[in-house]
Amino acid sequence: MPEGQQNWLKWLLRKPFLLLVILPTLLAALYFYAVAAPQYVSEARFVVNSRSSDANAQMSAMRGLAGAALGGFGGAASGEANSVRDFLTSLDAVMEADARLDLISLWRRPEADFLARLWDTEPELLTRYYNSMVNVTLDPTTNVTTLRVRSFRPQDSLTLAEALLESAEALVNRLSERARNDTLRLAQQEIDIAERRVLESRSAMVRFREQERDLDSAGTAQAAVALRGQLEAALAQARAELTERLQFMRPDNPALQVTRNRIEALERQIVAERSRHTDTTAVVDNAVLSRQLAAYERLMLERQFADQQLASATASLESARVEAQRQHLYLARIVQPNLAVYPLYPRKLTNLASIFVVLAIAYGIGWLLIVGMREHAA
Amino acid sequence: MNLRAELAIIGRGARMQQRVIGALIIRELGGRFGRYYFGYVWLFIEPMLLGAAIGLLHYWRDRPTAFGPFEFFAIGYILFFVFRGILNRAPSAIPGNQALLYHRHVTLPDIFFARHIIECIACAGVLILMLFGLYVVDGSIPESPIKIAAAMALMALLSQGLAFLWASMSYAVDVAGRFLQAITFLILPIGGLFFLVEWLPVWAQEIMLWIPTVHIFELLRDGQFGSRFRAIYDLYYVAGWIVVTHLLGLAALRITRQRIGLE
């Protein structure tokens, strides 16, 4: 029947709308309704939360999707949610899932049709295919991440969604652990530095005391000054007494000898006291004492500072611990991945309608342009 | 009537249309700038002066952006100039060239094609000149020239589709043409020239992404400095706008042509 066939072709060529729009749409319909394998969707929803919103999130999780839709997440960590989304669409996640589940055979089930099944198994191309079958969206207002996995068997979708959720959980735990360790390590380093400083200042103090044979330079200096003051006062008093007695006694009166002896003894004592802290002279004596005192005070100050630093470092370690508690991230599942019963994909009617509309519009434009061209030749 | 003869007729028509458009371009240039040689230079100077002025204005006013303000605004303005130039001249296209339609070979789309080709060549020339100038002055090279060219082409196509529609509309209803100036003026602040979608809050992003020119400007910026920000655009959406406006616009032009014939 070559004759009839040719006629049929000619007829088709004379009806370009049928050829270019209706025929492709019919072919697509044939594919979608007769050939295409059903694809089952497993959907899970989760939020990445920090501990401060613990109670809140659990409550929301219990309330399920309604709670999520109301957006009642105080401390939801959207930066980490972005990281989780980026991770779930990355080559890394694909490789992890592939190692666990063998993605290639999962998307090459015998029931998969030739257009939708996985063809290329190179990691990069597998990732591209994976991203067409696995959809991760983050709602920026509620911070709920939705994971949708498609495959040719309900059980496959469910296990893949579960595996992806588990690796996302592992990622969040890793991030959380890392952040916590960083905070604590910094505070701990501060404490170590402060402790070393305290120990150094104490040992410097001990060395100073051994060197100077003096337990408390400030106290010693004070005592020395006080003693000298007392001696000087006593001396002045004795001298005054002597002058007073000379008014009514003869200078060679033996009663005066006692007072004179006391004055002499006091003067000797003062000289002895002065030379105790000295090398030779009184001027040097003062200098030595004050140098000793200055060094001692510096050491005391250093010790005080070190103590204060240690106290504040300890306080900041405490607050870092609290902070780390708060920084503790976790992935809270709102909707557990489901086992699909009805295949939602491929979206037959939507796809057909859009194919038809696109072809019809393209045909319309083409027709208008070609008719425009023809007019020139007329 | 077989297919081969049909194709031959279409091919002859296509060649003829090409020549008509070529002739119309020359006529349009002569009409717009006079027959002085310097006149053609104006074609390039107009967008260049405006683009450079806007760019310099922002260069002096606000320095602290991650991108050079001159690159950001001057190059962006050239693209906006394509849009504005094509749309603003649309209402006068039909009344101004009505007499030409007495020639059997001249059709309404030809007139538009000729004008739009002139605008595109002028703006593309200025764009290349400015990019080259920027390279000479501070050695900045756009990250992806293909994306810049694509943005330019998409902008021209979108403006063309809108111009078809607008010209037919203002031919039918005289007032429509008068609104146009106001509308191109209003689209200037929200058309994507002055911001990146990334800078906006989420709710504003959702509103802005309904405007097709915003997507085109994002594509342009992605081509200029794509690695320095997160470009948000959907070329399918822009393509949808272009395709639908072309379909409606070309159909509207056919209807308008019949009405002109009746007069």
Side-chain angles (χ1 to χ4, degrees):
Chain A
M1 296 256 297
E3 192 77 4
Q5 215 167 6
Q6 219 166 21
N7 279 339
W8 188 76
L9 260 174
K10 266 184 187 163
W11 177 79
L12 203 61
L13 278 176
R14 232 169 288 150
K15 311 271 188 206
F17 187 76
L18 279 182
L19 178 68
L20 294 173
V21 180
I22 302 291
L23 190 66
T25 312
L26 282 178
L27 283 178
L30 192 71
Y31 166 73
F32 281 125
Y33 283 97
V35 181
Q39 296 173 14
Y40 297 89
V41 182
S42 183
E43 187 182 290
R45 293 184 190 217
F46 59 86
V47 282
V48 180
N49 265 337
S50 50
R51 190 178 283 290
S52 63
S53 61
D54 199 359
N56 195 355
Q58 270 183 358
M59 217 156 67
S60 295
M62 272 187 283
R63 270 183 287 155
L65 204 54
L70 289 173
F73 293 99
S78 92
E80 278 74 14
N82 270 322
S83 323
V84 170
R85 187 195 54 193
D86 286 355
F87 167 72
L88 281 178
T89 55
S90 71
L91 186 70
D92 198 15
V94 176
M95 291 297 104
E96 217 175 298
D98 191 33
R100 238 196 266 185
L101 287 180
D102 190 13
L103 288 181
I104 293 167
S105 68
L106 187 141
W107 275 317
R108 274 186 168 175
R109 298 285 186 216
E111 58 262 47
D113 64 278
F114 66 98
L115 269 182
R117 69 179 292 220
L118 173 70
W119 285 102
D120 307 295
T121 55
E122 292 85 353
E124 288 79 8
L125 296 175
L126 177 63
T127 306
R128 193 187 289 168
Y129 183 82
Y130 164 92
N131 274 319
S132 72
M133 298 300 269
V134 175
N135 189 350
V136 188
T137 48
L138 169 64
D139 185 337
T141 48
T142 58
N143 265 315
V144 177
T145 310
T146 309
L147 173 71
R148 275 196 201 89
V149 176
R150 276 193 283 151
S151 76
F152 303 101
R153 286 178 190 171
Q155 190 55 46
D156 285 351
S157 292
L158 178 63
T159 44
L160 179 54
E162 191 64 44
L164 286 176
L165 274 181
E166 271 160 23
S167 50
E169 265 162 3
L171 173 78
V172 167
N173 289 342
R174 243 179 1 250
L175 287 176
S176 170
E177 194 66 23
R178 178 74 200 274
R180 209 154 31 148
N181 286 346
D182 273 3
T183 328
L184 285 184
R185 208 187 55 230
L186 272 176
Q188 192 59 50
Q189 270 173 6
E190 280 300 308
I191 283 206
D192 290 347
I193 291 170
E195 273 174 358
R196 215 172 307 135
R197 199 170 155 192
V198 166
L199 286 178
E200 268 164 21
S201 77
R202 290 284 150 96
S203 62
M205 204 70 162
V206 168
R207 264 202 313 281
F208 176 82
R209 279 176 178 153
E210 279 172 355
Q211 206 177 333
E212 305 290 337
R213 289 198 202 88
D214 192 358
L215 272 181
D216 181 354
S217 272
T220 313
Q222 255 173 13
V225 169
L227 180 60
R228 209 189 298 168
Q230 276 173 10
L231 287 173
E232 303 253 2
L235 179 63
Q237 207 187 349
R239 276 190 181 138
E241 202 182 304
L242 182 66
T243 321
E244 187 198 317
R245 287 193 178 177
L246 277 174
Q247 302 288 318
F248 55 86
M249 286 183 184
R250 287 223 315 271
D252 54 350
N253 191 320
L256 287 178
Q257 197 52 46
V258 179
T259 316
R260 279 203 186 99
N261 282 350
R262 198 161 79 219
I263 289 173
E264 202 179 324
L266 279 171
E267 276 170 346
R268 248 200 328 268
Q269 186 60 41
I270 286 172
V271 168
E273 191 61 39
R274 269 185 186 154
S275 61
R276 228 185 75 179
H277 294 281
T278 187
D279 307 318
T280 43
T281 61
V283 185
V284 180
D285 160 40
N286 269 335
V288 166
L289 195 62
S290 66
R291 203 179 57 225
Q292 213 176 5
L293 201 59
Y296 178 77
E297 261 169 8
R298 210 176 52 237
L299 285 172
M300 278 301 278
L301 214 60
E302 169 65 26
R303 205 180 82 180
Q304 254 171 28
F305 280 150
D307 285 349
Q308 271 167 17
Q309 195 185 0
L310 182 61
S312 83
T314 315
S316 64
L317 177 65
E318 273 315 301
S319 71
R321 263 201 194 109
V322 174
E323 181 71 14
Q325 285 292 319
R326 224 165 50 72
Q327 265 178 355
H328 179 73
L329 289 168
Y330 65 97
L331 190 148
R333 295 185 188 193
I334 300 172
V335 178
Q336 293 283 357
N338 62 306
L339 185 68
V341 177
Y342 179 80
L344 285 174
Y345 283 85
R347 294 247 152 102
K348 295 166 187 158
L349 220 54
T350 322
N351 285 349
L352 273 184
S354 45
I355 286 173
F356 177 74
V357 168
V358 166
L359 284 176
I361 289 178
Y363 177 82
I365 292 176
W367 183 78
L368 282 165
L369 286 175
I370 284 176
V371 165
M373 281 179 201
R374 276 205 57 172
E375 274 175 3
H376 293 84
Chain B
M1 188 177 97
N2 65 33
L3 189 68
R4 195 163 295 165
E6 180 73 6
L7 280 178
I9 293 174
I10 293 174
R12 197 140 41 87
R15 272 194 301 282
M16 178 64 83
Q17 187 173 26
Q18 215 175 318
R19 278 161 57 202
V20 167
I21 292 173
L24 280 173
I25 289 175
I26 291 169
R27 180 179 174 279
E28 182 80 24
L29 282 175
R32 209 189 285 178
F33 306 109
R35 294 193 175 277
Y36 309 105
Y37 288 112
F38 190 67
Y40 296 119
V41 180
W42 259 117
L43 188 62
F44 296 96
I45 285 182
E46 194 184 356
M48 186 145 70
L49 274 183
L50 281 170
I54 297 248
L56 282 177
L57 215 67
H58 283 278
Y59 180 71
W60 284 319
R61 220 189 52 195
D62 39 28
R63 276 206 78 99
T65 41
F67 325 106
F70 188 82
E71 289 152 275
F72 192 82
F73 290 106
I75 305 291
Y77 193 76
I78 305 281
L79 215 65
F80 185 74
F81 197 87
V82 177
F83 183 76
R84 210 196 65 155
I86 290 179
L87 268 192
N88 274 359
R89 295 209 171 87
S92 66
I94 299 177
N97 295 292
Q98 214 166 345
L100 280 178
L101 295 175
Y102 285 105
H103 301 284
R104 207 180 29 151
H105 292 306
V106 180
T107 59
L108 273 180
D110 292 347
I111 295 167
F112 286 95
F113 288 143
R115 288 168 157 238
H116 299 166
I117 288 170
I118 293 174
E119 295 289 344
C120 277
I121 289 174
C123 290
V126 173
L127 193 69
I128 291 166
L129 222 89
M130 278 205 168
L131 288 176
F132 183 71
L134 277 171
Y135 169 67
V136 170
V137 171
D138 62 10
S140 64
I141 301 171
E143 291 185 10
S144 164
I146 298 283
K147 281 181 182 163
I148 296 182
M152 177 94 188
L154 285 176
M155 187 59 111
L157 283 173
L158 177 69
S159 317
Q160 171 162 283
L162 288 172
F164 288 160
L165 268 180
W166 211 281
S168 338
M169 217 144 82
S170 62
Y171 188 79
V173 189
D174 214 18
V175 200
R178 306 198 188 287
F179 279 111
L180 189 73
Q181 290 280 351
I183 287 175
T184 49
F185 198 71
L186 281 178
I187 208 111
L188 179 65
I190 57 168
L193 171 56
F194 293 119
F195 56 84
L196 292 175
V197 174
E198 193 192 35
W199 296 346
L200 302 173
V202 177
W203 61 269
Q205 283 183 5
E206 278 168 17
I207 297 171
M208 280 304 171
L209 287 175
W210 283 100
I211 302 172
T213 55
V214 172
H215 294 264
I216 298 175
F217 276 110
E218 286 284 306
L219 175 64
L220 171 75
R221 269 80 199 243
D222 192 19
Q224 278 182 279
F225 15 65
S227 57
R228 278 184 266 172
F229 75 108
R230 195 162 69 92
I232 304 165
Y233 55 86
D234 179 8
L235 292 185
Y236 287 112
Y237 181 68
V238 181
W241 265 83
I242 290 173
V243 162
V244 170
T245 51
H246 268 75
L247 179 69
L248 296 179
L250 284 169
L253 281 185
R254 287 192 81 77
I255 296 168
T256 311
R257 177 69 186 88
Q258 281 161 11
R259 292 178 43 136
I260 297 171
L262 287 176
E263 280 170 12

